[in-house]
Amino acid sequence: MTIYLEFPKGFLWGGATAANQCEGAYNVDGRGLANVDVVPIGEDRFSIITGQKKMYQFEEGYLYPAKEAIDFYHRYKEDIALFAEMGFKTFRMSIGWSRIFPKGDELEPNEAGLQFYENVFKECHKYGIEPLVTITHFDCPMHLIEHYGGWRNRKLIEFYERLVTVLFTRYKGLVKYWLTFNEINMILHAPFMGAGIYIEEHEDANQIKYQSAHHELVASALATKIAHEIAPENKVGCMLAAGQFYPNTCNPKDVWASLQEDRENYFFIDVQARGEYPNYAKKKFEKLGLNIEMTEEDLILLKEHTVDFVSFSYYSSRVVSTDPENVEQTEGNVFASVKNPYLKASEWGWQIDPLGLRITLNAIWDRYQKPMFIVENGLGAIDTPDENGYIVDDYRIDYLRDHIIAMNQAINEDGVELIGYTTWGCIDLVAASTGEMSKRYGFIYVDRNNDGTGTFKRTKKKSFDWYKKVIATNGTDVN
Ligand code: BG6
């Protein structure tokens, strides 16, 4: 039995979820409709989340998994008790914006929505679990999309400011760790799901996406400012869909292409962590003929209110080639990637690369020197219960073990500063890219199927006890 070096004292072990993928209760207690509600399971989902097909309301013949999801809204006490049993130090979850402001532009918040999250946070604290809260995990009230065009409109900064002010005030003393936007770079890849943007055919997609990104970046800096003003102990992080790009060959053209691809993603964090638009981005805007409207005040806000820590999701590394004709692409990824012959892949074609996590941790650390937090990592897999309803998910344990060892090496051998790790979908939930329930990540099985059938019953998988041991030994026993 190999025993590894300990993780830092106080390391935040836990799990992660998002409101729209687990809460359900989409129209309960005054909640308004959001973009994340109207994305169905099935073959149209991809074109809807990426903004190629417009769907602004529920349509006949489609199934919308977020409507009920796993019913966390009514079962959070049972779920948090299970997280506590595993020894979670932290629980990452998100706020459904339209629970707090059903339309998004009201002046007064919806008390029932505020009360719900207060109850959840108090339930966490009952067990000594520190909430880690994503302010928006892909969601945007539909009213803001239909009447303002989503984040393409500068007005959204004002509505977001109102939202965060209410949250920081109400949850002062209950929540300390905040993330402003989940996977902020997703705006480039899935603009409808990521930022409530639908791009018309005649429009310049880059202009709209980068203008919207600017609005989110300013909103993020403003949130950081307000969080610190309301409670100095607040820690605010940015959140990147990470995963280093590898050149397909040592041809300098491939190496250059991989640098460009990395920059496309790091651009967001460069602004949020360093406080200004990098030169390469300004040059890119010039080259593309983009005119991103920004004020002097925006630039001051960005400069003065950088994030306290850098968080990211990591599932896979990526590969880029300048010879696309002669390479094979992976399937099932919002981020396009060339297949890496050295790696195995999940049932959904996501390539498995634990060393890639160490590489990514080092790259982010070298770039920013800010504390890091891995807020998503995990394996989406098909789980088949045995005759007793038990799931022996050794494949998930193997995936997580290898990634935890990579984190351990990055901390203890490379010296990066990592403050926590929350595995994605610690309880089975709806997959964001496909809307499937069958793509499961959890330590806890939820009896819910793609077609909306099932009892919502929760059952511990084999990985439940394994993760409990990992946490109890602070990462030294991962066998
Ligand atoms: C991240 C998102 O992109 O990846 C999560 O922040 C998402 O919301 C996760 O669920 C895994 O992706 P998927 O499509 O397998 O759910």
Side-chain angles (χ1 to χ4, degrees):
M1 182 168 98
T2 323
I3 297 284
Y4 292 90
L5 287 175
E6 246 197 269
F7 278 74
K9 210 166 171 282
F11 190 77
L12 291 164
W13 295 98
T17 60
N20 74 88
Q21 292 170 258
C22 71
E23 283 177 6
Y26 81 101
N27 59 356
V28 171
D29 292 339
R31 183 184 178 283
L33 198 68
N35 57 339
V36 285
D37 299 328
V38 294
V39 287
I41 183 172
E43 56 182 38
D44 286 341
R45 184 178 180 97
F46 193 76
S47 46
I48 295 167
I49 65 178
T50 52
Q52 295 158 55
K53 180 177 164 68
K54 197 175 202 170
M55 192 175 279
Y56 278 8
Q57 64 226 338
F58 299 128
E59 289 182 16
E60 234 10 67
Y62 288 96
L63 204 82
Y64 297 90
K67 277 185 168 180
E68 289 180 290
I70 59 158
D71 197 33
F72 176 82
Y73 192 78
H74 297 111
R75 292 162 204 258
Y76 67 91
K77 287 192 179 165
E78 183 191 345
D79 295 343
I80 293 170
L82 287 166
F83 301 152
E85 198 183 324
M86 273 188 278
F88 277 21
K89 311 287 180 215
T90 188
F91 171 47
R92 177 179 175 225
M93 46 166 290
S94 77
I95 301 284
W97 186 344
S98 62
R99 276 199 200 289
I100 311 296
F101 288 100
K103 289 163 78 181
D105 60 357
E106 299 93 333
L107 294 176
E108 294 303 322
N110 170 31
E111 175 54 30
L114 284 172
Q115 191 58 51
F116 168 67
Y117 293 110
E118 185 176 324
N119 296 344
V120 172
F121 300 146
K122 286 189 170 155
E123 198 65 20
C124 288
H125 283 293
K126 200 166 112 183
Y127 300 103
I129 297 175
E130 188 72 49
L132 162 62
V133 178
T134 319
I135 295 164
T136 52
H137 191 119
F138 295 153
D139 53 342
C140 184
M142 272 316 293
H143 175 80
L144 295 186
I145 296 173
E146 288 182 290
H147 293 264
Y148 300 89
W151 277 98
R152 67 163 71 207
N153 191 327
R154 201 181 159 91
K155 285 285 276 183
L156 270 270
I157 301 176
E158 188 186 316
F159 303 138
Y160 186 86
E161 180 183 359
R162 206 174 291 158
L163 171 72
V164 301
T165 306
V166 165
L167 299 180
F168 298 149
T169 308
R170 175 72 172 242
Y171 304 130
K172 185 174 172 171
L174 283 174
V175 180
K176 193 164 73 185
Y177 292 99
W178 300 92
L179 305 178
T180 52
F181 290 92
N182 181 62
E183 295 188 334
I184 190 162
N185 48 328
M186 199 55 91
I187 203 171
L188 302 179
H189 308 277
F192 182 69
M193 185 170 74
I197 307 167
Y198 177 77
I199 299 160
E200 305 286 345
E201 240 169 64
H202 65 272
E203 290 182 311
D204 179 342
N206 279 320
Q207 173 66 35
I208 311 273
K209 287 181 194 175
Y210 281 105
Q211 185 65 64
S212 307
H214 177 72
H215 297 150
E216 288 196 350
L217 290 167
V218 172
S220 176
L222 197 52
T224 310
K225 171 177 186 278
I226 299 168
H228 292 152
E229 281 166 2
I230 292 181
E233 69 272 20
N234 273 333
K235 300 272 178 234
V236 184
C238 51
M239 201 301 202
L240 171 78
Q244 204 69 10
F245 270 94
Y246 302 154
N248 192 44
T249 70
C250 54
N251 182 336
K253 286 184 183 164
D254 281 352
V255 178
W256 178 242
S258 68
L259 185 139
Q260 303 281 76
E261 293 283 354
D262 277 333
R263 275 183 169 171
E264 188 176 284
N265 295 312
Y266 285 135
F267 153 71
F268 296 87
I269 313 306
D270 284 355
V271 178
Q272 290 174 294
R274 292 168 165 167
E276 54 193 34
Y277 273 76
N279 284 348
Y280 68 80
K282 294 182 199 158
K283 291 287 175 196
K284 175 175 173 166
F285 295 164
E286 249 173 64
K287 199 169 154 200
L288 291 172
L290 309 185
N291 174 25
I292 308 302
E293 283 177 25
M294 44 183 98
T295 66
E296 267 311 302
E297 292 76 51
D298 291 351
L299 300 180
I300 294 170
L301 260 179
L302 294 176
K303 188 77 197 159
E304 291 182 350
H305 303 283
T306 54
V307 288
D308 300 307
F309 64 97
V310 174
S311 85
F312 62 89
S313 60
Y314 176 85
Y315 294 91
S316 188
S317 54
R318 302 143 188 170
V319 178
V320 63
S321 167
T322 46
D323 185 14
E325 310 268 285
N326 292 312
V327 290
E328 218 186 316
Q329 294 285 326
T330 60
E331 283 161 24
N333 287 278
V334 176
F335 290 87
S337 171
V338 168
K339 262 196 190 160
N340 186 331
Y342 300 99
L343 301 178
K344 293 202 177 104
S346 78
E347 287 153 306
W348 273 264
W350 293 24
Q351 305 188 106
I352 301 172
D353 184 10
L355 181 54
L357 175 57
R358 184 175 178 182
I359 294 168
T360 302
L361 276 164
N362 276 277
I364 296 180
W365 176 250
D366 287 352
R367 202 168 176 115
Y368 304 114
Q369 277 105 41
K370 294 222 181 202
M372 293 180 289
F373 205 142
I374 300 171
V375 295
E376 283 185 36
N377 173 238
L379 178 73
I382 292 180
D383 289 331
T384 313
D386 66 14
E387 60 282 6
N388 302 314
Y390 187 58
I391 284 142
V392 180
D393 53 345
D394 289 320
Y395 38 90
R396 181 167 295 112
I397 294 173
D398 289 345
Y399 178 101
L400 294 172
R401 177 194 297 114
D402 292 348
H403 285 78
I404 290 173
I405 293 170
M407 276 156 46
N408 196 329
Q409 290 166 329
I411 296 170
N412 290 314
E413 293 178 31
D414 310 332
V416 310
E417 191 181 343
L418 182 65
I419 56 175
Y421 176 66
T422 56
T423 65
W424 176 249
C426 45
I427 180 165
D428 291 347
L429 37 66
V430 176
S433 56
T434 64
E436 292 165 299
M437 266 309 300
S438 55
K439 192 180 185 192
R440 296 174 183 274
Y441 287 86
F443 303 113
I444 301 161
Y445 184 85
V446 177
D447 179 27
R448 180 81 174 158
N449 306 309
N450 288 350
D451 62 3
T453 58
T455 60
F456 291 119
K457 183 169 176 265
R458 276 67 168 146
T459 312
K460 298 174 203 171
K461 303 180 195 174
K462 184 176 175 187
S463 54
F464 185 99
D465 291 311
W466 173 82
Y467 196 45
K468 184 175 174 177
K469 181 183 64 183
V470 172
I471 297 177
T473 61
N474 198 16
T476 56
D477 186 352
V478 294
N479 294 290

